[in-house]
Each structure stands twice: as C-alpha cells, then as structure tokens.
Amino acid sequence: MATGHARNPWVAGLLSSVLPGLGQFYNRRWGKGIGFLAGVLSLTVVLSSSIDPKALEHAAETGATPDNLGLIVLLLLVIFAVAAWSIVDAARTAQKS
C-alpha cells in the first residue's frame, strides 16, 4: 500500500473506536471503511426496529423479561464484534503501511 507516508496504528484504531470504518478511511481503504460503516449502521437499524419501547418499559417496571431479550443481546454482541474487528483491522492495516 503506497500512500506516501506511514499511518499510525494508534490513530487508526482510535478512529475506528469512535465510528467503525473511520480507521479504514484513514488508511485509505475505502471499500473496507464503507463495509464496516454500513455493517454497523444496518445492524443498528435492525436492533432499533426489533425493540418495542413500550414493551421494554413495561418489562422494566414489572421486572419481567422482555420477549425478545435474546435477539437484543445477540444483535448487541454482533455490533460489538464488528466494531472490535474494525478497530483491530484498522490498526493492523496501518502497521503494515
């Protein structure tokens, strides 16, 4: 990857920790950056559409378990995994430059 100068892995990782894909944009890996950003955004849309605020509030008030708790936890874990992958990928890519 000949970009003119070396990229700082710490900066790349920090940018991806702020928003997945930013570290890839910093590394001039446009396709990867769009992929990570689109992935996290689409997962967030799916998560927000799977949450019924009134049902969640009712479950919190009564101490009951929400019906879709498993789906919510699974989506949060996948979002976290994609975000962590974005950080590691950005730092490793910058280190290779």
Side-chain angles (χ1 to χ4, degrees), residues 11-92:
V11 172
L14 180 64
L15 287 170
S16 277
S17 69
V18 171
L19 184 66
L22 283 183
Q24 284 74 16
F25 293 142
Y26 170 75
N27 290 328
R28 299 188 190 277
R29 297 294 186 140
W30 309 111
K32 277 184 169 182
I34 291 169
F36 279 114
L37 185 59
V40 168
L41 289 177
S42 63
L43 287 168
T44 303
V45 167
V46 170
L47 176 64
S48 64
S49 68
S50 68
I51 296 174
D52 179 11
K54 290 182 181 180
L56 199 58
E57 183 179 339
H58 177 67
E61 289 173 354
T62 62
T65 303
D67 293 335
N68 59 349
L69 181 63
L71 176 63
I72 293 169
V73 170
L74 177 66
L75 286 171
L76 286 172
L77 287 174
V78 172
I79 290 170
F80 176 75
V82 171
W85 180 19
S86 174
I87 294 167
V88 171
D89 177 74
R92 284 185 179 169

